[in-house]
Amino acid sequence: HQKRSLKTDFAISALACCGAVTVSNPFEVIKTRLQLQGELKETGKYVKPYKGLFHAFYVIGRHEGLRGIQRGLFLAYPYTILMNGTRLGLYEHGKTFIANATGSHRNNAFVGMTSGIVSGVAGSIIANPFYIAKTRMQSYSPHLPMVGFQRPASGPFDAMRIIWKEEGIKGFYRGTQGACIRMTVASPVQLVSYDFAKRHVLSYGLEDGLKVHIASSIISSAAMALCLNPFDVITTRLYNQPVENGKGVLYRSWLDCFLKSFKAEGLNGMYKGLVPHYARLAPHTIMIFVCLEQLRKLANKYEIY
């Protein structure tokens, strides 16, 4: 087949991710709130309004309804289009460029990880304004105002307006350092582990189809959740902390957030929200890569390059 253009790969990746985020957004809401509850408090010395994935789902659904369980969805769409469209769209082209520049094979682990990091960081910077607004919307609960610092917003445009009004353009890029570090881990782990898992599954003689894509996605999701969760906790807290005079009240930097959180909460704090994180990542990753593979096949079939 003729090689697809970067524009086509971006569009395919963006469409795949929009389908995935619709399914996974409720788990993102739960993960965000679990990561914020008991912030900077010693384990066992605070009340847990959310006692786990299923309890959180029940509490949010009961008191906030569908709007609560899908809070931030209309910010998740532009975020995932920009973030994952850029990340996944650039990944294959990046592998080709790096392989040619270094004389390495495209499936070399170094090539995959380097391309994953570069494409992930690029996506993080571009999409950061929507991610910070989404995080703040998802942390808000009219029923449980004691979890995290909360900013009531009537909808996605209001959430963006509040950031602009209170913090200016800098507010949209608050926590970018954390997001870039997070994606430096997340992007290569997800993309390389999926590539590796897919090649391993195919080595058993299976046909490259839906079953292979699902199995590869499940393996990739597990690797990603374990590696990413501590970085995700820190990024969530940096985004959600109160701000005074343009500066974060609780944390000065990514490192400051990590040190304070780890000192107060230990390793348990770094893995808050792990179960909903995996519960989000598994269907999200499956939907992304299954949709991605099917859309790529359609693009080849109808010669969309």
Side-chain angles (χ1 to χ4, degrees):
H1 292 294
Q2 183 180 332
K3 186 180 177 183
R4 287 185 303 276
S5 68
L6 180 59
K7 178 176 67 176
T8 300
D9 266 343
F10 179 92
I12 287 171
S13 301
L15 281 171
C17 292
C18 280
V21 81
T22 306
V23 175
S24 65
N25 193 65
F27 298 106
E28 179 76 4
V29 173
I30 294 167
K31 174 186 71 72
T32 298
R33 296 190 186 183
L34 286 176
Q35 289 177 342
L36 290 171
Q37 83 173 357
E39 185 174 9
L40 299 181
K41 294 178 182 176
E42 191 177 337
T43 302
K45 295 191 176 180
Y46 61 89
V47 176
K48 290 185 176 181
Y50 305 112
K51 295 176 173 61
L53 170 61
F54 297 109
H55 183 255
F57 196 95
Y58 168 75
V59 170
I60 296 169
R62 181 183 176 188
H63 295 282
E64 301 174 48
L66 183 61
R67 183 179 181 181
I69 209 69
Q70 281 287 19
R71 199 174 294 278
L73 179 62
F74 290 104
L75 285 165
Y77 286 140
Y79 165 72
T80 202
I81 287 169
L82 291 173
M83 171 66 205
N84 291 309
T86 301
R87 183 171 68 97
L88 297 174
L90 283 177
Y91 178 63
E92 293 296 332
H93 294 268
K95 284 207 304 184
T96 301
F97 176 81
I98 294 165
N100 291 339
T102 59
S104 304
H105 193 275
R106 282 186 84 257
N107 291 328
N108 180 287
F110 168 78
V111 171
M113 288 188 70
T114 305
S115 182
I117 289 170
V118 172
S119 59
V121 169
S124 291
I125 294 170
I126 292 168
N128 200 76
F130 295 101
Y131 193 42
I132 189 168
K134 176 180 75 72
T135 299
R136 292 181 178 183
M137 272 201 78
Q138 290 175 335
S139 70
Y140 171 66
S141 169
H143 172 63
L144 291 169
M146 75 287 287
V147 177
F149 182 77
Q150 300 197 8
R151 302 167 177 85
S154 59
F157 291 108
D158 192 40
M160 300 288 280
R161 181 193 63 78
I162 291 169
I163 295 173
W164 174 261
K165 182 182 177 182
E166 295 182 356
E167 303 171 55
I169 191 68
K170 285 185 178 180
F172 289 114
Y173 287 93
R174 184 170 303 285
T176 305
Q177 179 192 32
C180 288
I181 293 171
R182 174 179 175 272
M183 285 313 301
T184 298
V185 175
S187 196
V189 168
Q190 183 187 43
L191 296 169
V192 173
S193 64
Y194 180 82
D195 273 356
F196 175 81
K198 184 180 173 184
R199 289 198 303 271
H200 185 71
V201 173
L202 287 172
S203 70
Y204 288 97
L206 296 173
E207 185 181 349
D208 186 3
L210 188 60
K211 290 180 180 179
V212 169
H213 303 159
I214 290 174
S216 305
S217 297
I218 290 171
I219 296 167
S220 175
S221 299
M224 195 175 171
L226 287 171
C227 294
L228 182 60
N229 206 80
F231 300 92
D232 202 57
V233 169
I234 294 166
T235 303
T236 297
R237 293 181 176 187
L238 285 172
Y239 279 156
N240 198 65
Q241 69 171 324
V243 177
E244 286 183 5
N245 300 319
K247 294 183 179 180
V249 172
L250 299 177
Y251 314 109
R252 296 189 306 273
S253 64
W254 186 92
L255 182 61
D256 186 48
C257 181
F258 170 75
L259 292 174
K260 284 180 177 176
S261 297
F262 190 80
K263 182 180 179 181
E265 303 167 59
L267 193 61
N268 284 340
M270 295 295 98
Y271 279 92
K272 280 183 175 177
L274 178 62
V275 174
H277 194 179
Y278 180 71
R280 182 192 79 85
L281 279 174
H284 188 79
T285 306
I286 290 168
M287 287 286 290
I288 284 178
F289 285 115
V290 169
C291 290
L292 199 58
E293 298 276 11
Q294 301 310 312
L295 287 167
R296 282 173 177 169
K297 285 182 179 180
L298 284 173
N300 290 334
K301 180 179 178 179
Y302 293 103
E303 300 183 349
I304 301 171
Y305 303 115

